[in-house]
Amino acid sequence: VISYFSEKSPETIIIGAEPLGAPSMYESIKSGHVVELEKIDTFVDGASVKKVGQITFDICKDKISEMVLVPEGRICTTILDLYNKEGIIAEPAGALTVSAVSLIKEKLKGKNVVCVVSGSNNDIMRTEEIKERSLLYEGLKHYFMIQFPQRPGALKQFVTNILGPTDDITYFQFSKKNNREIAPAVVGLEIKNKADIQGIKDRLVQNKFVFEYVNDNKALFNQLIG
């Protein structure tokens, strides 16, 4: 595509897009030679490689005006938007371009923009994972490890005093230990407005719940949720 436009429409600007978790072309262009990444996120499986091909790199390094790195969660939001609003079934790599445009839309104002949206190779079994990643990226899904007192009414107190009217428990894992006064529970919450999370944290402190916010602890998050 780049070679064709270079010959037939050299004034056309080509912008590349890659997943944030697999920036092999971005790092290669930045370094001036092909770079092999040690570790990548393979969620966007159609566009995630540790090492780009030499021929592909040689074409791209001089013809691409910029590379846009797109968070995987943003791509998931785009997949859902394309389906719900446009009736388009896009695989993660196909939604990559539309996601990239949303990140640089200010510099594209007034220009004619074409996004290559490829494929419907999207396994329906991945729908829940796509929704989960989207909610996490948008700040609407949060996980806590909460030390619950082992007494009747503790969960009721949590629901009544901590949660707002539009907050929803979507995940709850609790193991009761008869010989302890408290026991940990992993709680997943879905909220309607990302600003509401601060109120939840404040109310947890006010009601003297001992807790850890799991979203910010990548190792713990992957162990408990991933």
Side-chain angles (χ1 to χ4, degrees), residues 14-197:
I14 307 294
I15 297 174
E18 277 188 309
L20 182 62
S24 51
M25 183 61 77
Y26 174 87
E27 292 296 338
S28 296
I29 292 176
K30 186 172 73 171
S31 301
H33 59 86
V34 173
V35 172
E36 183 170 1
L37 304 178
E38 292 184 6
K39 186 178 181 181
I40 62 173
D41 184 339
T42 59
F43 174 76
V44 186
D45 45 4
S48 299
V49 294
K50 289 185 177 181
K51 182 179 179 181
V52 298
Q54 185 64 53
I55 295 175
T56 308
F57 170 74
D58 290 339
I59 294 172
C60 291
K61 65 183 176 65
D62 297 323
K63 303 293 178 61
I64 287 182
S65 64
E66 70 174 298
M67 290 292 301
V68 180
L69 298 183
V70 186
E72 281 74 4
R74 174 65 236 179
I75 296 170
C76 291
T77 297
T78 300
I79 291 172
L80 297 174
D81 285 346
L82 286 172
Y83 179 74
N84 292 326
K85 298 178 182 179
E86 308 294 341
I88 296 174
I89 301 174
E91 63 189 15
L96 182 59
T97 57
V98 180
S99 301
V101 166
S102 72
L103 297 179
I104 58 172
K105 58 185 179 181
E106 289 302 317
K107 68 171 64 176
L108 299 177
K109 280 185 176 180
K111 303 182 186 300
N112 295 320
V113 180
V114 175
C115 296
V116 179
V117 181
S118 63
S120 57
N121 298 321
N122 203 359
D123 188 346
I124 193 172
M125 300 300 292
R126 302 180 74 184
T127 301
E128 285 305 311
E129 180 187 6
I130 290 170
K131 181 182 178 183
E132 175 89 349
R133 281 181 175 249
S134 173
L135 289 170
L136 287 167
Y137 174 78
E138 299 295 336
L140 302 177
K141 189 71 173 283
H142 302 269
Y143 287 92
F144 295 85
M145 179 178 284
I146 301 174
Q147 301 295 332
F148 272 91
Q150 293 208 74
R151 56 172 171 74
L155 179 57
K156 182 179 180 180
Q157 179 193 2
F158 174 81
V159 173
T160 302
N161 296 349
I162 307 302
L163 300 187
T166 60
D167 302 332
D168 187 26
I169 296 177
T170 58
Y171 184 91
F172 192 90
Q173 186 177 33
F174 174 73
S175 179
K176 186 174 183 179
K177 306 292 185 181
N178 291 328
N179 61 335
R180 294 183 183 176
E181 293 183 357
I182 60 174
V186 180
V187 182
L189 301 177
E190 186 174 330
I191 61 180
K192 296 296 184 184
N193 188 322
K194 66 179 182 179
D196 293 344
I197 188 60

Side-chain angles (χ1 to χ4, degrees), residues 1-14 63:
V1 171
I2 293 173
S3 298
Y4 179 86
F5 273 93
S6 296
E7 180 179 342
K8 300 296 183 180
S9 182
E11 70 276 10
T12 298
I13 296 173
I14 307 294
K63 303 293 178 61

